[in-house]
Each structure stands twice: as structure tokens, then as C-alpha cells.
Amino acid sequence: MVLQIIVNGLTMGGVYALIALGYSMVYGSLRFINFAHGDVYMWGACFGLIFARIGDIPFPIALLLTMICTGLLGVAVEFLAYRRLRNVPRVIVTASALGASIVLSNLARVVVGAETYSVPAFFETKYFMVGDLVLNSLQFVLLGCSIVLMLFLNWFISKSKYGKAIRATSENMDVTSLMGINTNKIISVTFFIGSSLAGAAGLLVGIYYDAVYSTMGYMAGMKAFTAAILGGIGSIPGAMLGSMILGQIESFGTTYISSSMGPAIAFAVLIIVLLVKPTGLFGAGDAHSNRV
């Protein structure tokens, strides 16, 4: 029983991590919360639904196309809603982020519809029994894709040319610009990567739960935001670890307390973290923060 709960927590923790990384990357570069990020995740599920219904598209291709589409969507949101607001008070940027979230959510209702849609299967789901533990192929795919994408992001930020530029921009945008780096381009790359990861999470969750709807981004976005706060907003390792911890807390909580208590547990964790350690596990002030 306990092992089953842990596996379920790891599965959802992987999803939260893909979304939380986008929050941390944007905050690390621009020092504000992109509240439209959860709706980008929702659009990932919508794009996945569209590609699944087209038919004859292999899952890896559908995943790649979804990541590209949501990445471009994130770049468009940054250009239209945030770029001109970099030097204004953060409350104005927050208002713009909330407005972008509402626009994306309502646009999905117009384009996709307000119903809950079933996702045609890209592959047959197989079940495995290991003692009392029940596993299925969707869990392997979801967790496997999450791990691969997180490892790729860690390599990209640590080793690639653009990754180094992203880290430099997060340290001091003005100095980075004076060194000849096009900070607008780097921030667009940051939004593209963060949004593409959220889009991948949307596709995976849509397949896993066989449900896509236009309001699915709000709660998932808030839980991922909680995971980012728990790990230390702006820290990539923190976002990963915080997501895995939150996944376990929610999995145990919904099993032993109530299946409907998932959102309440997530927000309770958020409140406790803000009260006890507002900077999170790997937040500012930690010598090992490894911020973006």
C-alpha cells in the first residue's frame, strides 16, 4: 500500500516539476511570477488532444510538436504581455499576467470548447503486478518523459551557450546587456523552454487521466507554483525537489485523509512554507541554491 502511494506521488511529482520549472526559470530571469503559466500547460493538453485526434501521429512526434507549439505560445505571451513592462512596478506586471491567464483560458473555450474531452490513445495501456504494487505503462511513460526532460534542462542550463546566457541574465540583466548579449532573445528562449516543458506536462496529464478541459490549468498551475515556492522560487534543483516532495505529501494526504483534499493540502503546504522558510529549501540565502 505504502509503495503504491509513493509511486503515485512520484508520478504526479514529475508533472508538477515540469510546470514548476517554468515558474522558476521566469522568476530567476525577471523576478516576477508568470501566472499565465498554468494556462500554457492547459494549452499543451489541448494541442495534444488535437494531435491525437488527427491520427497516425506517433507519440514522440506529438510530444515534440506540442512542446514546440506551447513554447511559441509562451514566447508570444512574453512579447505581448510582459516585454514592455520590465521597468514598471511588479504589481502592474502581476495584473498583466493575470490578464494573460484569463485570455488564454477563454481562448481555449472558444477554440476547443468548454466540455471535457477524452484523448484518443497513442498506444495501448498495459498493466503490471509486482506483488501488491499495480503499475501501468502510462506511469512509466509519464515519469520517464519527466525525468528525461528534467535531465535535458539541467544539461542545457549548465553546459550550453544559451544556458550560460540565461544564468548571466538572471544575475544582472543590465550588465549582461552591456556585455553584448541580446537579453530580449535570452528571455524569449527562457519562456520558450519553460512553456514547452509545461506543454509536455499538459499532454502527459491529458493522456494519463484521459481528460482535457479549458480550466485544467488553474489548479495544476497553483500546485506547481507551491512546489516552486517549497523548493525555492528561482532554483531549478529546488523546483524539482519541491515538486517531488509535494507529490508525496499530496499522495499520502489524499489516501489517508480524503481524496478531495488534494488542493487544500497543497495550499496548506504553501502557507506553512511561507511562514517557516519563505525562501524555500534552495532559495536565496542558501549557499547551494544553484539559481537559474
Side-chain angles (χ1 to χ4, degrees), residues 73-260:
L73 179 61
V75 172
V77 169
E78 186 275 328
F79 180 79
L80 296 173
Y82 305 137
R83 183 164 297 187
R84 296 178 182 272
L85 303 177
R86 288 180 190 166
N87 298 315
V88 303
R90 285 293 173 259
V91 65
I92 297 176
V93 184
T94 301
S96 182
L98 293 173
S101 173
I102 293 171
V103 169
L104 290 177
S105 177
N106 283 274
L107 184 62
R109 294 187 184 185
V110 172
V111 176
V112 181
E115 296 82 7
T116 298
Y117 299 95
S118 178
V119 182
F122 284 98
F123 44 79
E124 181 183 357
T125 303
K126 297 181 180 180
Y127 290 85
F128 310 92
M129 291 289 296
V130 182
D132 294 331
L133 183 64
V134 181
L135 303 172
N136 64 64
S137 56
L138 285 176
Q139 288 176 309
F140 287 110
V141 170
L142 195 153
L143 191 56
C145 288
S146 299
I147 292 172
V148 169
L149 290 173
M150 285 188 284
L151 290 174
F152 171 78
L153 176 66
N154 188 62
W155 170 86
F156 180 85
I157 294 295
S158 301
K159 303 296 184 182
S160 72
K161 175 182 177 182
Y162 278 106
K164 294 176 182 178
I166 289 172
R167 286 188 283 132
T169 302
S170 71
E171 289 293 331
N172 192 311
M173 187 183 299
D174 294 331
V175 173
T176 303
S177 180
L178 291 174
M179 293 175 65
I181 296 176
N182 187 337
T183 53
N184 284 334
K185 182 178 180 181
I186 297 304
I187 289 171
S188 293
V189 171
T190 301
F191 269 83
F192 181 89
I193 295 171
S195 299
S196 65
L197 293 176
L203 170 61
L204 293 169
V205 169
I207 296 173
Y208 187 71
Y209 288 109
D210 192 23
V212 173
Y213 49 96
S214 60
T215 57
M216 63 185 291
Y218 173 74
M219 191 52 64
M222 292 306 296
K223 290 180 180 180
F225 174 61
T226 300
I229 293 292
L230 175 60
I233 190 72
S235 168
I236 287 180
M240 296 179 184
L241 179 60
S243 298
M244 292 302 174
I245 293 174
L246 181 63
Q248 294 300 325
I249 292 173
E250 186 176 355
S251 183
F252 276 92
T254 53
T255 301
Y256 289 110
I257 300 175
S258 172
S259 59
S260 62

